[in-house]
Amino acid sequence: MAENEKQSLKDKVFESQVWRSIFRHGYADTHRNRVLQVAGNVFLHLHPTKTRRHALRIRFTWCAGGVTFLLFLVTVVTGVILMFYYRPTGEHAYIDIKMLEFDVPFGMVIRNMHRWAAHAMVIAVWVHMFRVFMTGSYKPPREFNWVIGVILLVLTLLLSFTGYLLPWDQLAIWAVTVGTNMARATPLLGHEGPFYELVGVNARYDARSFLIAGQVVGPPALLRFYVLHCIFIPIAASVLMIVHFWRVRKDGGISGPM
Amino acid sequence: MADASGTATAATSPAVAKVGAAAEARAVSKAQAPAKTIELADKAHTWPYLVRLEFLAGLIVMIVLTVWSIALDAPLEEIAQPNRTPNPSKAPWYFLGLQDMLVYFDPWLAGVVLPSLIIVGLMVIPYVDVNPKGNGYYTFKYRKFAISTFIFGFFFLWIVLIVMGTFLRGPGWNLFAPWDYWDPHKVVPLTSVDLSEFLFGIPASSAGGVLLGLAAIGGWFSLGAVFYIWKRNSPTMKKLGFVRYAIVAGLWLTMMALPAKMVLRIGFNIKYVLVTPWFNI
């Protein structure tokens, strides 16, 4: 093939209407393209086109917030795959997990990945909070973003806790029993808590039975935790993550020395 | 565009492309006003300098996670049996610090009030920390109180209790050394007494016992008031103001009540400081 034939083929592809409609700029390493690469990409435009240099140092951010977000995405993807094979009922839940383990191709790896990513996310979000505290990044004007971060931390723990019940094995049911038992000691609202008689709650109607849909952790609790785990909390966390990331930019980008 | 970026760039900006954003920024800034100089020299293009780091970090996390998931299986025990309680029954590992607090406080406090206060306490940090220093960089020198309090709470009252709860708490929630066999029949004599019995030999539910308990708890929190009166004219206190100080002192003393109760419980076998018909502390 002659040199200009190659050139004209290149032109045909890269100048075509289809290509130009997808990629708005060239790839050559120019100042303009570097800016467009970020500003013209819906995923990358979370970033500013230019970043303060100290924020590039791994020693400053530990990349903990980003790692937390990545692990959240991993649990979403693997979680959706698991949902194809799992039924949240007393008869099926445990058998479905066994089937994932022994029958579904790569089922075990997907389940492992979901569980380890969830545990790692809990650790990553703590590390992120620790780093943000150590750099004083909650200080004005970023006070409210810290508050949102604390809510996200709580949601992360709740996501992990609601997921803990779903395998429906001894580990699951008793961990959740121990955890939700605390709710019956809630002052005023739990039937073993201080001043419960003022409100008139009892074992059938109190904070704990509201959480687990009954007096013991049984199939109704499994369904309740499943819906919270797969729908309610992920949506709440996603909305707050959008606000959290957006506010990082609106509050003047990543924190740094004035 | 493809043509433009292919040929025109080659002609006009090889220098920029080669030398990179840093040099470019410096070259531009030299020609401009000093105020702008700092602004430009302090920044780098997000693409590629930040995005490549994020990509690398993501790659490392995904490799580790994949290898981990292939090598280590998630636990799965026997099917759930509501009539067979395992001993010990443990909450998920990240709540074991809270579960361990049950040794020192009743469930309404350890399981409900204190966890809620942890969340509220974390949320108010930005509003009660009026120190403008250390915003956006690491420093211990200018934030001694904030950092030591946070590290104490995070590492000693949260992480250490989790590690203890995971590895050292066995059947009956008894403490076991790492090399001990988890004997489900281990008997630990329950010789704990209430504070008033320990000090004066009077029952905690008697009038004297309740008064003593109230005095002990009141005395603990009045430490905050004493400190306020002592330091009321210091610049830090003036800046903090009474309301912020009261919140900080209240939360701080509540947090420190946990190690205080641990000392009373482990060192002196004291169960309750205050006993009332409705709740015990």
Side-chain angles (χ1 to χ4, degrees):
Chain A
M1 214 191 288
E3 195 57 32
N4 39 355
E5 264 180 66
K6 252 193 212 165
Q7 188 58 41
S8 87
L9 183 66
K10 200 178 151 201
D11 288 351
K12 269 202 183 112
V13 174
F14 295 123
E15 289 292 322
S16 70
Q17 192 187 356
V18 174
W19 185 273
R20 293 290 308 278
S21 72
I22 302 170
F23 302 102
R24 297 294 194 188
H25 58 87
Y27 196 77
D29 195 10
T30 64
H31 174 89
R32 184 170 181 274
N33 281 344
R34 283 177 167 192
V35 170
L36 285 174
Q37 188 74 31
V38 172
N41 180 306
V42 68
F43 302 107
L44 291 180
H45 96 287
L46 197 66
H47 303 104
T49 53
K50 285 182 164 191
T51 310
R52 294 180 67 182
R53 274 175 200 287
H54 73 275
L56 298 175
R57 276 189 223 114
I58 213 83
R59 273 181 307 175
F60 184 75
T61 64
W62 309 355
C63 215
V67 167
T68 308
F69 182 50
L70 174 68
L71 290 167
F72 175 75
L73 294 178
V74 170
T75 55
V76 169
V77 172
T78 52
V80 168
I81 297 171
L82 292 175
M83 282 172 82
F84 286 123
Y85 299 100
Y86 175 82
R87 289 163 290 178
T89 62
E91 301 88 64
H92 298 118
Y94 184 74
I95 300 301
D96 286 350
I97 300 287
K98 281 279 186 203
M99 290 296 266
L100 268 168
E101 205 165 310
F102 294 108
D103 194 52
V104 178
F106 300 104
M108 194 64 193
V109 174
I110 297 290
R111 180 168 111 81
N112 291 346
M113 216 165 190
H114 190 74
R115 196 180 183 101
W116 300 139
H119 285 339
M121 187 180 161
V122 169
I123 295 170
V125 82
W126 290 349
V127 172
H128 177 56
M129 180 185 69
F130 185 69
R131 189 291 284 180
V132 168
F133 186 90
M134 283 322 213
T135 55
S137 304
Y138 58 81
K139 297 191 176 198
R142 297 180 182 80
E143 305 101 309
F144 191 63
N145 218 10
W146 167 270
V147 175
I148 295 170
V150 173
I151 302 173
L152 279 168
L153 167 80
V154 174
L155 288 181
T156 305
L157 293 175
L158 288 180
L159 268 173
S160 198
F161 184 64
T162 49
Y164 216 87
L165 182 62
L166 304 187
W168 204 239
D169 61 346
Q170 280 287 74
L171 191 65
I173 187 182
W174 289 104
V176 169
T177 302
V178 167
T180 53
N181 263 346
M182 293 301 108
R184 60 173 153 208
T186 312
L188 298 171
L189 298 177
H191 74 277
E192 287 174 8
F195 310 115
Y196 75 96
E197 51 305 309
L198 292 179
V199 182
V201 293
N202 56 43
R204 282 182 68 190
Y205 298 103
D206 73 340
R208 179 168 191 267
S209 68
F210 174 75
L211 277 179
I212 59 171
Q215 294 182 59
V216 293
V217 178
L222 179 61
L223 181 60
R224 188 158 289 198
F225 272 43
Y226 177 76
V227 174
L228 287 173
H229 184 75
C230 301
I231 297 171
F232 184 78
I233 308 176
I235 290 176
S238 302
V239 170
L240 285 174
M241 267 183 242
I242 292 169
V243 180
H244 197 61
F245 300 160
W246 178 79
R247 278 202 83 112
V248 171
R249 293 285 304 278
K250 293 295 155 182
D251 293 341
I254 188 163
S255 68
M258 294 295 161
Chain B
M1 187 68 213
D3 193 52
S5 52
T7 54
T9 348
T12 52
S13 59
V16 173
K18 285 248 173 61
V19 185
E24 181 195 6
R26 256 179 260 123
V28 172
S29 64
K30 262 184 198 158
Q32 283 170 346
K36 201 123 190 175
T37 310
I38 303 159
E39 175 74 7
L40 277 168
D42 185 40
K43 287 189 168 181
H45 280 119
T46 298
W47 180 282
Y49 298 109
L50 177 59
V51 177
R52 70 181 178 193
L53 282 177
E54 292 175 336
F55 179 73
L56 259 179
L59 205 63
I60 292 167
V61 169
M62 289 311 293
I63 290 171
V64 171
L65 186 64
T66 307
V67 171
W68 190 289
S69 303
I70 291 169
L72 219 73
D73 282 346
L76 186 67
E77 298 182 357
E78 306 148 66
I79 192 165
Q81 294 165 66
N83 302 324
R84 258 193 57 208
T85 313
N87 186 11
S89 283
K90 289 188 180 185
W93 60 269
Y94 37 82
F95 288 150
L96 286 184
L98 302 179
Q99 197 175 350
D100 210 58
M101 287 206 301
L102 288 168
V103 174
Y104 311 104
F105 291 111
D106 277 1
W108 69 275
L109 203 52
V112 184
V113 174
L114 292 179
S116 309
L117 282 180
I118 294 174
I119 297 168
V120 173
L122 284 171
M123 282 180 178
V124 301
I125 286 174
Y127 303 100
V128 295
D129 184 353
V130 291
N131 177 7
K133 288 192 182 128
N135 184 346
Y137 53 95
Y138 292 100
T139 169
F140 177 65
K141 205 170 128 196
Y142 298 114
R143 303 174 60 205
K144 283 186 181 130
F145 174 73
I147 288 184
S148 10
T149 303
F150 190 80
I151 287 192
F152 183 76
F154 186 63
F155 279 103
F156 291 92
L157 299 184
W158 189 252
I159 305 287
V160 168
L161 284 191
I162 285 176
V163 172
M164 263 181 65
T166 307
F167 299 109
L168 306 183
R169 291 289 186 185
W173 206 253
N174 288 316
L175 265 182
F176 290 85
W179 51 87
D180 279 350
Y181 161 67
W182 277 14
D183 179 9
H185 304 295
K186 176 175 175 176
V187 178
V188 178
L190 288 172
T191 52
S192 59
V193 292
D194 298 331
L195 184 67
S196 59
E197 284 176 293
F198 178 78
L199 290 179
F200 304 111
I202 49 173
S205 52
S206 67
V210 171
L211 275 178
L212 182 81
L214 286 174
I217 289 168
W220 177 258
F221 282 96
S222 68
L223 289 176
V226 171
F227 189 78
Y228 181 77
I229 292 162
W230 178 34
K231 290 279 185 189
R232 66 190 180 284
N233 287 324
S234 74
T236 317
M237 195 65 91
K238 282 251 151 73
K239 201 168 169 211
L240 197 58
F242 179 74
V243 176
R244 282 203 198 89
Y245 171 77
I247 294 171
V248 173
L251 286 169
W252 194 85
L253 286 166
T254 307
M255 180 174 105
M256 287 304 173
L258 176 62
K261 189 73 192 281
M262 287 168 101
V263 169
L264 287 181
R265 188 56 191 270
I266 297 168
F268 304 96
N269 270 324
I270 283 164
K271 186 162 190 215
Y272 291 127
V273 173
L274 173 67
V275 173
T276 74
W278 309 280
F279 59 86
N280 308 318
I281 293 172

